Amino acid sequence: MNFAIVGCGFVADLYMNALVSHPELKLSGVWDRDPQRLAAFTAHHNVSAYASYQALLADTNVQLVANLTNPREHFAVSEAALLSGKHVYSEKPLATELDRAQQLVELAERKGLLITSAPCSVLSETAQTIWKLLDDGQIGTPRLVYAELDDGNVAAMDHASWISPSGAPWPARDEFEVGCTLEHAGYHLTWLTAFFGPVQRMTSFARVVQPDKGLPDLQPAADYATACLAFHNGVTARLTCSIYGSHDHRLRIFGDEGTIGIDRIWDYGAPVHLSKRHKWTHRVEKYPLFGTLTGLGPKKVPLVRKPAVSGIGLWGKNAMDFCRGIADLAHAIYTGTQPTMTARWALHITEVVLAMQSPDIYGDVRDIQHQFDPLKPEQWAR
Ligand SMILES: NC(=O)c1ccc[n+]([C@@H]2O[C@H](COP(=O)([O-])OP(=O)(O)OC[C@H]3O[C@@H](n4cnc5c(N)ncnc54)[C@H](O)[C@@H]3O)[C@@H](O)[C@H]2O)c1
């Protein structure tokens, strides 16, 4: 399937790294409104540049546009693509305002086009292994989830030195103004809504805990947020995002018969640990060494498949396959089906993420308006 990329910044290099694993995807060309960035990217990756976004949209070979622009540009870029008859894979979120995300989904539906959104890590071997464990009843009825996405004090890190292989600096100002929850909550939320279906109701607290991030005239978004989520199926989850609390990317799912845990939500091949409930559970949880010495501690579960990618996320060896979602969408277009993450599911996640990041706009307590049909086990890509 022929596709084109709009936005040749920091993350576009990660997509290019991953593209080699997807021979079914043919990159027709790329576009960036920054001419220097466009030139550096096309030279580095030896790919063609379009003369303008209009030229890209006029290319009838292109069926799918990957929108890798900054979040506040997502709406305009995706809308133009849909109006030109292209299917859209959007980096997260679909849009930075809920009514605009809704407009995109309705526009796609009216035109018979598909739109979906990153992240696509729900297609990872780790996520699918957790789904299978839940589906197989390994922890009995799941009831409570603790999900963390703390990235450490990013403002105090040497982020000016984070430069992608084609020379794009990590967009610190944009990241700090858009907010870490809008950037990151979707990773946990796509998994949780895959496993448990839609969120019914949520509460959120969000705040700027560190106003001075060392950049002049910054308008920082909340850099800390915690949401409590009540799923229709009865599961309760607490999700925290920050770029201040020390690094913690754990996901823990507690059920009547055991616990599933991972340490690295951003790693497609992160080991999955399963603890089955037994009479020593409380001792193992209190004294992990006891669990290790007795062999009663959490066990590493074999993943459903050998992970295609895994690791610490060094350049050239992504821990994530950024193109898996584009490939999934391309397959849906080709077969006349729906992508794993439907537009309505992406809209649901966008609503939850926006409400978590901005309770001042969407309410401290919110009944989620945009629902979706939960995946059935047979629709799951495992
Ligand atoms: N930085 C990361 O590590 C990372 C990881 C995963 C996902 N993402 C997501 O990827 C997206 C892009 O992030 P990034 O880090 O690459 O940002 P970036 O600022 O490095 O790159 C964005 C690029 O898009 C271009 N652009 C913006 N608006 C445009 C428009 N209207 N038309 C054409 N080009 C336009 C900019 O000139 C820039 O080169 C965001 O949605 C972000 O949430 C980023």
Side-chain angles (χ1 to χ4, degrees):
M1 165 125 349
N2 292 315
F3 82 110
I5 286 177
V6 190
C8 303
F10 194 89
V11 85
D13 278 349
L14 297 170
Y15 278 77
M16 292 304 292
N17 273 354
L19 195 54
V20 290
S21 312
H22 295 280
E24 73 277 32
L25 297 174
K26 306 271 179 249
L27 183 62
S28 297
V30 302
W31 165 246
D32 196 294
R33 67 181 178 186
D34 174 346
Q36 286 177 344
R37 182 88 290 276
L38 184 62
F41 187 86
T42 50
H44 183 87
H45 293 291
N46 193 24
V47 293
S48 315
Y50 286 98
S52 64
Y53 191 30
Q54 288 68 30
L56 183 159
L57 295 177
D59 183 347
T60 49
N61 288 319
V62 171
Q63 286 179 268
L64 193 171
V65 170
N67 180 354
L68 311 185
T69 62
N70 310 91
R72 289 174 283 196
E73 295 294 318
H74 287 177
F75 174 76
V77 170
S78 293
E79 186 190 42
L82 291 169
L83 287 171
S84 301
K86 313 290 187 200
H87 304 277
V88 173
Y89 183 83
S90 171
E91 251 302 338
K92 61 195 157 42
L94 277 179
T96 47
E97 296 85 23
L98 183 57
D99 55 345
R100 295 193 132 195
Q102 182 181 349
Q103 277 176 45
L104 290 177
V105 170
E106 289 173 354
L107 174 61
E109 287 173 348
R110 274 200 308 280
K111 291 186 73 78
L113 295 166
L114 299 178
I115 181 168
T116 191
S117 149
C120 60
S121 58
V122 72
L123 300 170
S124 68
E125 289 75 10
T126 295
Q128 294 185 19
T129 302
I130 296 174
W131 168 275
K132 184 171 178 348
L133 292 174
L134 291 166
D135 201 33
D136 291 348
Q138 290 286 345
I139 62 164
T141 303
R143 297 190 190 275
L144 183 65
V145 176
Y146 290 163
E148 333 286 348
L149 226 156
D150 288 292
D151 246 0
N153 184 348
V154 174
M157 296 176 193
D158 184 20
H159 54 74
S161 69
W162 301 346
I163 309 284
S164 76
S166 73
W170 184 72
R173 177 174 295 277
D174 197 55
E175 290 262 345
F176 294 156
E177 292 192 342
V178 167
C180 61
T181 299
L182 223 55
E183 296 279 357
H184 297 156
Y187 290 99
H188 281 295
L189 281 168
T190 48
W191 292 30
L192 297 182
T193 50
F195 304 152
F196 307 126
V199 175
Q200 182 176 23
R201 196 160 210 244
M202 64 182 286
T203 65
S204 177
F205 176 88
R207 198 167 192 218
V208 182
V209 296
Q210 183 196 37
D212 182 1
K213 291 185 162 54
L215 298 178
D217 305 321
L218 186 78
Q219 306 286 320
D223 49 14
Y224 161 79
T226 291
C228 290
L229 310 167
F231 289 78
H232 281 280
N233 80 339
V235 167
T236 301
R238 193 267 300 137
L239 167 60
T240 299
C241 290
S242 90
I243 45 168
Y244 194 79
S246 55
H247 185 99
D248 189 347
H249 285 191
R250 281 179 303 162
L251 170 66
R252 286 170 293 163
I253 303 173
F254 308 102
D256 290 348
E257 304 300 329
T259 301
I260 297 169
I262 65 159
D263 290 335
R264 303 197 305 266
I265 187 84
W266 279 355
D267 184 342
Y268 274 42
V272 177
H273 295 101
L274 172 67
S275 316
K276 301 287 277 188
R277 179 167 294 284
H278 46 70
K279 68 176 183 168
W280 298 108
T281 291
H282 62 291
R283 279 188 199 272
V284 171
E285 288 177 349
K286 203 164 168 189
Y287 310 108
L289 184 61
F290 175 79
T292 310
L293 293 176
T294 57
L296 293 171
K299 302 268 186 314
K300 213 195 267 191
V301 178
L303 298 181
V304 285
R305 285 189 310 277
K306 186 175 178 301
V309 289
S310 179
I312 313 165
L314 299 175
W315 290 115
K317 187 175 185 292
N318 297 346
M320 299 192 224
D321 174 355
F322 281 81
C323 286
R324 206 172 282 185
I326 302 179
D328 184 71
L329 178 60
H331 180 262
I333 296 165
Y334 189 66
T335 54
T337 55
Q338 289 288 320
T340 303
M341 180 178 288
T342 60
R344 290 281 160 185
W345 181 6
L347 181 59
H348 177 82
I349 288 182
T350 305
E351 179 176 355
V352 175
V353 171
L354 285 167
M356 181 173 173
Q357 171 87 50
S358 306
D360 50 331
I361 299 171
Y362 296 98
D364 308 331
V365 181
R366 184 175 177 90
D367 291 312
I368 300 302
Q369 298 165 9
H370 296 290
Q371 298 290 323
F372 71 101
D373 294 329
L375 280 186
K376 299 183 184 69
E378 61 271 21
Q379 291 173 285
W380 189 250
R382 71 185 149 94

